[in-house]
Amino acid sequence: MKQNRKVIEDNTLINLITPVGLTFQKDSVTVGEIKGSIYGAYKYPQKVGYGWIADIASEKNAITTITYYPDDSLLEGLSDSVKKYKEKAANAKTALEYSRATRAAECANEMVTKIDSNNESIGQISILTMPLCTKENEEAIQAVDRSVKSAYMRNFIKLHKMSREQEQAYKAMSPYYANQPQIDTMLKRIMPLSTVVGGFPFASSGFVDDNGYYWGLNSEKGLMALDAWCRGGDRTNSNFAVLGKSGTGKSTFIKHLIEIEYMRGTRILIIDPEGEYAKITTMLGGQVLNATGGKGARSNPLEFKAAPKLNKDDIKDDDDKKADLYKDSIGALALHLKTLEVFYRLYKPSLTDAQSDLLKQVLIELYLKFGITWNTDVTKLKSTDYPIQSDLLELLKEKAKDKASPYKSDYDQLVLYFTDIAQGGDSFIWNGHSTINSNSNVICFDTNELQNVSPNIKGAQYYNLTTWCWNEMTKNPNERVLLICDEAHLMIDKRVPEALYFLKSASKRCRKFTSGIVVASQSVVDFLADEIKAAGQALLDQPCYKVLFGTDGQNLTETANLFNLTNPQIELLEKQEIGVGITIVGKNKMKTYFDLPDYKFEFMGVPKVTGGAVGRKKSA
Ligand SMILES: Nc1ncnc2c1ncn2[C@@H]1O[C@H](COP(=O)(O)OP(=O)(O)OP(=O)(O)O)[C@@H](O)[C@H]1O
Ligand SMILES: [Mg+2]
């Protein structure tokens, strides 16, 4: 049966597709009541400013079309042009010719280096613009023309009126876009994608997140704003690895990060072996705890909390099991005995396996004496319910009294070891009940006073505090917590790799608890020693955010290998400029100037360097 359907005509649409009265003159186009001239951008400056596209396209009485054709194969051609310009300079007959060719060669070379070093995409751009006016108001066109031209001049872009090519230019601009080879030949120019993207305000190539905070400036001096809690694609965690030689700006960057995160409500825990985070902690209303036995700052290694619960499915790989961060089938006490084993071995690396096993038995007995068994619900216990080091020493002494014991000599040795921790020189740090009771949003554990004690004590206390922090990070899965481990190489003890395994496993798992770990160190090499490589490498590699500052020697070689750096990126790190580094987010790498405002330095307690330090070479 024949259907009678009424067709509704949309005259506006018809006019758009087939405009009535579309005529082309030599220098202009008329579309119905509208008249205008089309211009093409044919020359660009060697450097464009941030937001340049927004600037040239903001004239409301003009239509601008920007077409970008990505084509990574152009890099070869660009590289060839460096050679061509150099040859041209060598054969130049006039000073002007020479200077132009040299400048062009330098510029092309700089672009090749930048594109290569940042793994950037490259392509060709073509820009057409059409200032408009109505036919009744033709004199207005001059004002619009002027305004458009001055926007281009401001950005050092040269415009050319497409005389005799108005028709092709109009077709190239039209929404039903038709490829116009003649226009392409005249206007297409090579440009890195970041320059195009950076032309829009608040945009750069993938380093501006919706909820991002000021991070730094990219190589174009464009804004970088990152949200470390953003998920999606290859951004699966909120961990950081911050690497670079001493004095290049790691701690300064971390302080900047602390401020950013504090502002967005993240709780910050800092382990501060250099005693340099006190100022920022105080400025942010946080608490500085002297973690060398200071008042209200003791963490009794013998105290433990309920272990964080995690699904069995989440614990898949062997390293996780090795690190034992979770309550699996075993209870909190069993888990804590493993933590203690690592702690005591860090403290006394000369403990033999047999002594370590004996110590474990004595610890179980000690806990039993305090009414703590495998099944005790530790959430109900107070700090004073736990034994302290002198209780352990007493029990060990008792054991050593038994002359018939086959382990007599080992007990004697243990008594000797534990006299120091319970009564002697090291008792000030650990012998006593826990006194840390801070719900502050910023807590800084200052271990600076351990500077002059043995690295074993430092390492053991670092581990002790990290386990305390891990508990804080996991107790409320919805609370965002960032743990700062500056000078993290202190956690490396090749004889006790478990300490590093702990940190690695914590950093792998913390995303489940909306937490992140920042690991900062001068030394990459230390993390890659054979004994700890499996954990060390993952700790540097796993974080979605890496910030690399200048370095040299073996550290530079290892950094380059680990992060797959290109030659220009290696050269950038080799320069060791203060506050200049490479930000790696997932697979993207970008040169970053950590150009921070003065007020931030006041907050940080970092001496302000007059004239601005960013980019200045680190003095030897
Ligand atoms: N982004 C920056 N802008 C300006 N100055 C900076 C910047 N970063 C670092 N500095 C200057 O360099 C000094 C050393 O920086 P910082 O303490 O951050 O280095 P570091 O890499 O942590 O060194 P170390 O490994 O010895 O701890 C700072 O005190 C500060 O004066
Ligand atoms: Mg530092």
Side-chain angles (χ1 to χ4, degrees):
M1 202 171 81
K2 203 173 167 192
Q3 230 178 9
N4 278 331
R5 261 195 310 154
K6 193 163 184 278
V7 177
I8 302 164
E9 285 180 12
D10 184 334
N11 288 329
T12 319
L13 183 64
I14 292 170
N15 264 337
L16 256 177
I17 302 169
T18 53
V20 181
L22 174 64
T23 52
F24 298 101
Q25 294 83 38
K26 181 174 154 266
D27 278 344
S28 61
V29 184
T30 309
V31 189
E33 291 306 301
I34 306 289
K35 193 168 177 197
S37 298
I38 305 177
Y39 295 82
Y42 74 97
K43 198 159 186 194
Y44 295 83
Q46 291 173 2
K47 280 197 170 66
V48 283
Y50 174 65
W52 63 281
I53 287 180
D55 195 25
I56 58 170
S58 59
E59 168 59 55
K60 66 178 186 305
N61 291 319
I63 296 171
T64 302
T65 310
I66 296 153
T67 318
Y68 189 69
Y69 314 80
D71 182 356
D72 286 330
S73 66
L74 290 170
L75 188 58
E76 292 277 309
L78 196 59
S79 166
D80 282 349
S81 68
V82 177
K83 217 164 84 194
K84 222 167 63 197
Y85 284 127
K86 279 186 180 160
E87 276 166 16
K88 208 168 161 186
N91 300 324
K93 292 195 177 63
T94 64
L96 182 65
E97 229 179 280
Y98 173 80
S99 111
R100 279 187 181 159
T102 313
R103 207 144 30 96
E106 278 167 8
C107 175
N109 191 36
E110 197 184 311
M111 206 196 285
V112 171
T113 311
K114 201 185 85 183
I115 291 162
D116 191 36
S117 73
N118 290 337
N119 267 341
E120 276 193 36
S121 287
I122 176 174
Q124 296 195 74
I125 193 168
S126 125
I127 299 181
L128 286 161
T129 187
M130 182 179 180
L132 302 164
C133 67
T134 55
K135 270 205 290 197
E136 294 116 50
N137 194 11
E138 267 190 50
E139 57 284 8
I141 193 74
Q142 282 169 8
V144 182
D145 254 31
R146 256 200 317 277
S147 166
V148 170
K149 280 180 190 159
S150 66
Y152 281 77
M153 268 160 67
R154 258 200 313 276
N155 288 282
F156 305 101
I157 300 169
K158 290 202 174 144
L159 279 184
H160 163 80
K161 194 179 253 183
M162 308 297 284
S163 299
R164 276 187 266 276
E165 286 98 16
Q166 292 287 308
E167 184 174 349
Q168 290 94 326
Y170 182 81
K171 284 181 188 163
M173 285 186 87
S174 58
Y176 38 85
Y177 171 78
N179 196 16
Q180 300 297 312
Q182 197 182 337
I183 302 293
D184 284 353
T185 318
M186 288 172 75
L187 301 182
K188 267 186 178 175
R189 297 290 180 271
I190 297 177
M191 195 176 276
L193 181 61
S194 67
T195 309
V196 180
V197 180
F200 298 97
F202 310 118
S204 79
S205 52
F207 285 82
V208 175
D209 294 329
D210 284 352
N211 295 315
Y213 276 72
Y214 174 68
W215 180 266
L217 301 177
N218 65 18
S219 54
E220 301 286 323
K221 299 286 168 106
L223 188 76
M224 292 168 75
L226 256 81
D227 171 11
W229 304 93
C230 168
R231 292 285 184 272
D234 48 13
R235 290 163 76 170
T236 50
N237 61 47
S238 303
N239 296 328
F240 291 77
V242 185
L243 302 165
K245 211 176 169 181
S246 175
T248 48
K250 296 180 300 297
S251 302
T252 306
F253 160 74
I254 292 174
K255 287 171 196 166
H256 165 51
L257 180 68
I258 290 173
E259 281 173 11
I260 297 174
E261 286 303 325
Y262 174 81
M263 281 193 289
R264 55 181 312 164
T266 306
R267 191 167 181 227
I268 315 280
L269 308 174
I270 309 161
I271 301 181
D272 180 14
E274 303 270 299
E276 57 177 321
Y277 290 88
K279 174 85 188 273
I280 190 168
T281 305
T282 318
M283 292 295 274
L284 297 176
Q287 221 179 344
V288 182
L289 302 175
N290 175 355
T292 53
K295 198 165 163 253
R298 188 188 298 113
S299 163
N300 173 14
L302 292 169
E303 178 174 334
F304 58 96
K305 300 279 193 300
K309 290 191 184 85
L310 220 80
N311 293 334
K312 271 220 174 103
D313 297 348
D314 289 330
I315 310 165
K316 284 190 189 112
D317 76 34
D318 282 351
D319 288 349
D320 288 341
K321 285 179 193 140
K322 219 185 273 178
D324 281 320
L325 299 183
Y326 324 103
K327 183 171 182 163
D328 188 354
S329 51
I330 55 172
L333 173 59
L335 202 53
H336 190 65
L337 285 174
K338 299 202 171 210
T339 305
L340 279 177
E341 189 185 334
V342 177
F343 171 77
Y344 286 128
R345 280 179 49 221
L346 283 168
Y347 171 64
K348 284 283 174 210
S350 46
L351 270 183
T352 62
D353 285 350
Q355 286 163 356
S356 204
D357 286 346
L358 264 188
L359 183 60
K360 208 172 188 175
Q361 295 312 314
V362 177
L363 281 165
I364 295 168
E365 209 178 311
L366 179 70
Y367 279 117
L368 197 63
K369 274 176 91 174
F370 281 75
I372 300 168
T373 65
W374 305 111
N375 303 319
T376 304
D377 178 4
V378 289
T379 56
K380 302 213 162 58
L381 299 183
K382 299 188 294 295
S383 289
T384 45
D385 293 333
Y386 290 89
I388 58 173
Q389 305 298 332
S390 47
D391 298 318
L392 177 61
L393 178 64
E394 286 315 308
L395 191 54
L396 284 169
K397 278 182 179 165
E398 241 175 69
K399 298 276 173 198
K401 272 186 202 151
D402 181 2
K403 290 198 173 76
S405 166
Y407 308 113
K408 165 92 175 115
S409 64
D410 281 327
Y411 280 130
D412 282 341
Q413 192 62 54
L414 286 170
V415 167
L416 204 65
Y417 286 158
F418 280 81
T419 303
D420 241 3
I421 198 171
Q423 290 170 355
D426 304 338
S427 64
F428 67 103
I429 319 174
W430 295 304
N431 188 39
H433 293 117
S434 290
T435 51
I436 307 178
N437 183 18
S438 178
N439 286 322
S440 254
N441 273 340
V442 186
I443 304 177
C444 169
F445 291 101
D446 183 346
T447 61
N448 191 34
E449 280 178 27
L450 292 179
Q451 216 60 272
N452 301 321
V453 300
S454 76
N456 300 346
I457 297 179
K458 238 193 230 179
Q461 179 63 337
Y462 207 123
Y463 178 69
N464 183 33
L465 294 172
T466 314
T467 55
W468 186 89
C469 291
W470 174 242
N471 198 279
E472 290 295 296
M473 291 161 78
T474 53
K475 70 181 183 193
N476 176 0
N478 300 318
E479 184 187 36
R480 242 182 224 162
V481 186
L482 198 63
L483 169 63
I484 313 286
C485 299
D486 202 349
E487 312 287 338
H489 49 268
L490 288 173
M491 271 289 255
I492 299 173
D493 186 331
K494 292 175 201 159
R495 293 161 302 189
V496 194
E498 289 85 349
L500 208 64
Y501 271 101
F502 173 85
L503 200 57
K504 180 230 149 177
S505 211
S507 87
K508 187 169 173 192
R509 288 294 158 219
C510 60
R511 70 190 176 91
K512 302 259 173 198
F513 303 95
T514 35
S515 296
I517 298 184
V518 180
V519 168
S521 181
Q522 303 172 12
S523 170
V524 174
V525 175
D526 287 358
F527 282 85
L528 301 179
D530 286 346
E531 298 86 336
I532 44 107
K533 190 168 180 171
Q537 182 166 332
L539 205 52
L540 304 184
D541 209 16
Q542 217 174 54
C544 282
Y545 304 89
K546 287 130 189 156
V547 181
L548 312 179
F549 288 101
T551 188
D552 55 12
Q554 190 61 18
N555 273 315
L556 180 59
T557 312
E558 298 288 6
T559 307
N561 288 342
L562 194 57
F563 303 113
N564 219 358
L565 300 184
T566 61
N567 281 340
Q569 287 164 347
I570 295 170
E571 281 161 23
L572 167 68
L573 297 189
E574 219 167 17
K575 284 189 196 154
Q576 297 183 42
E577 291 170 335
I578 297 172
V580 182
I582 298 171
T583 302
I584 306 181
V585 180
K587 289 189 190 69
N588 296 319
K589 302 184 180 86
M590 188 166 279
K591 179 174 181 179
T592 311
Y593 295 89
F594 291 99
D595 202 349
L596 309 177
D598 289 351
Y599 79 89
K600 285 216 171 207
F601 285 92
E602 279 164 40
F603 250 75
M604 292 171 182
V606 171
K608 185 171 168 264
V609 184
T610 41
V614 175
R616 210 185 53 188
K617 189 153 169 42
K618 190 181 89 64
S619 48

